Amino acid sequence: MYVMHAVILAGGYGKRLRPLTDDRPKPLIEVAGRPIIEWQISWLKQFGITSFVILTGYKWEVLIKWLSENEKRLGISTYFSIEEEPLGTGGALRKVERLLSTENTFIVLNGDIITNLDISKLKISNENVMTMSLVPLKSPYGIVETKDDKIIDFKEKPILENYWINAGVYLMRKEIFKYLPEKGDMEKLTFPKLAKESLLVGIKYYDVYWRSIDTIKDIEEVSEDLIKMKNGLSSER
């Protein structure tokens, strides 16, 4: 797989992370001493990606300033698309069609995830428009096992077999722009349409690290996880 650009969806408000997001956008929230977006850049650079298209809205000035100041240190180049009004993920991506028009394929990812999944496994054919990464669903609650009305065991937040969730990392062909709304979320408007037309492929990742940063508790838990990973968040290949 050869991919030149990665597009990061970084325009959300991060309301559930307030007050941390009162003065900065969600991708700049620090986890284990580094902003989320820096973890993402370090991960993707392992695959040779050094060009990033940042789709930003809320607190865009803060994000652009931080990335501009850290480009050289990170060894990357960045391009920005600013939403003057909320466009949704589909509208935000459609806005940069011209910038990506010369690329046959590109990576798109949500700006609030930390993972080490191997993006080189995201294969795509000319018959499909997009490949979506999938990770197993982990129960947010502990599970109680019973037998004949007796409680026999407890399992703390187990992986629920046969249930998969969208990991928020995609390989897209430029044909995706035909299916994107001018305003609205591609998760609700584009993906179901692609699925119905058999243009969407899913790649399952079994033993990878993946977390979405949505709450203060997520920051604490993921920070502990990353600190335990002594060699950092290296890609699982």
Side-chain angles (χ1 to χ4, degrees):
M1 178 187 68
Y2 173 76
V3 178
M4 181 179 294
H5 294 296
V7 180
I8 300 180
L9 299 164
Y13 289 94
K15 293 180 180 179
R16 286 185 288 176
L17 284 169
R18 288 178 175 168
L20 297 180
T21 52
D22 284 347
D23 62 353
R24 71 192 67 184
K26 194 174 182 181
L28 288 184
I29 296 299
E30 289 196 358
V31 180
R34 301 168 69 186
I36 295 171
I37 198 167
E38 184 170 342
W39 285 107
Q40 294 183 328
I41 289 169
S42 297
W43 157 57
L44 290 169
K45 281 187 66 180
Q46 297 175 65
F47 302 94
I49 296 176
T50 58
S51 179
F52 294 85
V53 180
I54 314 298
L55 310 186
T56 182
Y58 176 70
K59 297 292 180 183
W60 60 267
E61 306 98 325
V62 182
L63 183 57
I64 290 177
K65 182 176 185 293
W66 187 90
L67 283 166
S68 298
E69 291 175 348
N70 287 277
E71 269 189 341
K72 186 175 181 180
R73 175 178 66 85
L74 296 172
I76 61 171
S77 59
T78 50
Y79 305 85
F80 302 97
S81 175
I82 301 170
E83 294 179 48
E84 301 296 339
E85 61 175 322
L87 298 175
T89 55
L93 182 57
R94 180 170 175 170
K95 190 178 176 184
V96 294
E97 178 178 3
R98 183 174 297 179
L99 179 61
L100 297 168
S101 62
T102 60
E103 303 301 316
N104 290 323
T105 59
F106 47 89
I107 290 288
V108 176
L109 64 144
N110 294 341
D112 59 1
I113 60 169
I114 291 181
T115 185
N116 63 351
L117 63 81
D118 182 353
I119 63 169
S120 68
K121 294 180 180 178
L122 293 174
K123 309 297 183 182
I124 196 167
S125 68
N126 291 332
E127 288 73 38
N128 301 305
V129 171
M130 185 183 116
T131 300
M132 175 186 293
S133 60
L134 306 173
V135 292
L137 173 62
K138 183 178 182 180
S139 171
Y141 307 105
I143 299 296
V144 179
E145 290 190 347
T146 63
K147 184 178 181 181
D148 298 328
D149 296 328
K150 296 269 188 185
I151 294 176
I152 60 173
D153 200 3
F154 298 88
K155 291 186 177 180
E156 181 61 23
K157 298 181 180 180
I159 297 295
L160 303 180
E161 297 181 4
N162 301 320
Y163 289 92
W164 297 85
I165 61 174
N166 173 5
V169 181
Y170 319 107
L171 178 63
M172 297 182 176
R173 295 175 61 236
K174 59 184 178 182
E175 283 74 16
I176 190 71
F177 293 107
K178 301 175 184 177
Y179 297 87
L180 294 174
E182 291 186 8
K183 192 172 185 179
D185 291 329
M186 58 186 176
E187 294 84 353
K188 296 177 180 179
L189 301 174
T190 302
F191 296 174
K193 185 173 183 180
L194 292 177
K196 288 180 181 179
E197 296 184 19
S198 298
L199 298 173
L200 180 59
V201 174
I203 300 295
K204 296 178 179 178
Y205 289 86
Y206 292 86
D207 298 315
V208 298
Y209 185 82
W210 182 91
R211 285 292 299 268
S212 176
I213 309 297
D214 298 309
T215 65
I216 301 295
K217 185 178 180 180
D218 291 331
I219 295 174
E220 295 170 350
E221 291 180 350
V222 175
S223 292
E224 290 178 4
D225 291 342
L226 295 175
I227 290 170
K228 290 176 183 177
M229 297 178 187
K230 296 180 181 179
N231 296 322
L233 195 64
S234 60
S235 178
E236 296 291 334
R237 300 204 192 195

